[in-house]
Amino acid sequence: MPGAYSALQVSINGGVAQVVIDHPPLNLLDATLMLDLDRFAASMSGNDDVRVIVFDSADPDFFIAHGDMTFADDPTTFTGLPIAPEGDQSLNPMMRLHERLGSLPQITIAKVRGLARGGGAELLSAMDMRFASLEHAGLAQPEAAGGIIPGAGGTAYLPGLVGRARALEIILGTRLIDAATAERYGWVNRAVPNAELDHVVDTLAARIAALQPGVARAAVEAVDAASDSIAHGLERGNELLGQLLGGPAAARLTKAVLAAGAQTRDGERHLEAIFDKVQ
């Protein structure tokens, strides 16, 4: 897989795929980058060895600048892109790409060091988690200033992340949202000092990749089910919990953490360390 793409650098280690977007001069979400991302997503859809995907940028100024504006000159060059052919063809190719990335069985996490506007911000919003450089990151949906609305999922993704009122503020205000504000709104998980971004994300990715098979996916499914209704979330969460409790890993780990001191006064003061030790 490494070296197989024009606009991506891909490496895999310890169940984590590191995907670095490297598409000078701006990391524009054009046909080349879209097709590379789509091919990468296709390669991951049945890959049980990769449990987490971390997206980063080789350009410190731009994560993804935005969608390629030249698509407007000849819309057929955009609508005809063979992106996610198995997806809903009533959606445009960029929507299909973001939905494909967002529905991968792996946990998707972004490191946002620079700017992400338009389609770049929408790609981020489709991922499971986003962490931003406090000093350098910024997100925006500027499309309304150009006489349109976000067309790659922003109107669908943002309300669930930041709420209706703030989604409208972002979309209709058209301004760049700094990392600290994006964190406060819920658009990113955390804004951290740039020097700490790699450590924060890579530590989390490694921790998730070390979980027992099926646990991360079950957590995502249970959380997503609750977006329909609390009742559906509880029902689906109960089903998924039952499946995991019936497997051998849960019983083994429970016995191990109890033997290591869980449910004792001293053990409970350091419970996370106990769980780390028995994985």
Side-chain angles (χ1 to χ4, degrees):
M1 184 183 302
Y5 303 99
S6 300
L8 304 176
Q9 301 172 17
V10 180
S11 60
I12 298 174
N13 184 46
V16 179
Q18 299 280 351
V19 181
V20 179
I21 300 165
D22 188 6
H23 190 37
L26 288 171
N27 280 358
L28 201 64
L29 192 57
D30 59 8
T32 298
L33 181 53
M34 289 176 65
L35 288 167
D36 266 9
L37 287 167
D38 190 58
R39 287 198 299 117
F40 171 75
S43 75
M44 289 291 106
S45 61
N47 191 327
D48 295 331
D49 295 328
V50 175
R51 298 184 181 180
V52 184
I53 304 171
V54 176
F55 290 87
D56 199 351
S57 170
D59 188 328
D61 294 325
F62 297 97
F63 181 82
I64 292 177
H66 48 69
D68 185 356
M69 293 181 184
T70 65
F71 283 141
D73 295 334
D74 182 5
T76 59
T77 63
F78 175 61
T79 58
L81 287 173
I83 299 291
E86 76 290 350
D88 183 352
Q89 296 302 300
S90 69
L91 302 179
N92 70 56
M94 206 172 285
M95 286 181 173
R96 296 201 304 272
L97 172 64
H98 295 170
E99 280 293 280
R100 187 176 208 180
L101 288 168
S103 62
L104 284 173
Q106 294 84 8
I107 301 300
T108 52
I109 308 175
K111 295 178 183 176
V112 190
R113 300 182 190 280
L115 304 180
R117 295 184 175 98
E122 288 164 301
L123 185 145
L124 287 173
S125 296
M127 295 184 192
D128 293 312
M129 291 178 256
R130 294 148 293 280
F131 293 81
S133 164
L134 188 59
E135 299 93 333
H136 305 302
L139 291 82
Q141 297 290 168
E143 293 88 347
I148 60 173
I149 62 173
T155 55
Y157 302 137
L158 275 175
L161 295 173
V162 305
R164 179 180 182 273
R166 281 176 168 163
L168 289 171
E169 176 193 349
I170 290 167
I171 292 167
L172 298 178
T174 74
R175 299 294 90 181
L176 189 69
I177 305 296
D178 63 79
T181 304
E183 179 192 66
R184 190 168 72 251
Y185 281 17
W187 203 352
V188 301
N189 291 63
R190 275 192 279 164
V192 301
N194 192 63
E196 300 175 15
L197 185 59
D198 284 334
H199 174 73
V200 168
V201 175
D202 293 348
T203 299
L204 176 63
R207 191 178 301 279
I208 295 170
L211 293 172
Q212 293 298 310
V215 170
R217 194 69 242 162
V220 171
E221 288 188 31
V223 168
D224 288 347
S227 65
D228 297 332
S229 70
I230 295 296
H232 184 215
L234 291 170
E235 179 183 3
R236 184 61 180 143
N238 190 50
E239 292 172 357
L240 292 162
L241 174 63
Q243 293 170 15
L244 292 169
L245 281 174
R252 175 181 61 80
L253 289 171
T254 300
K255 290 177 181 177
V257 297
L258 286 169
Q263 294 187 191
T264 67
R265 292 188 66 84
D266 184 59
E268 291 295 321
R269 292 188 179 96
H270 312 283
L271 189 60
E272 288 77 15
I274 290 176
F275 274 112
D276 288 346
K277 185 170 66 174
V278 304
Q279 290 296 318

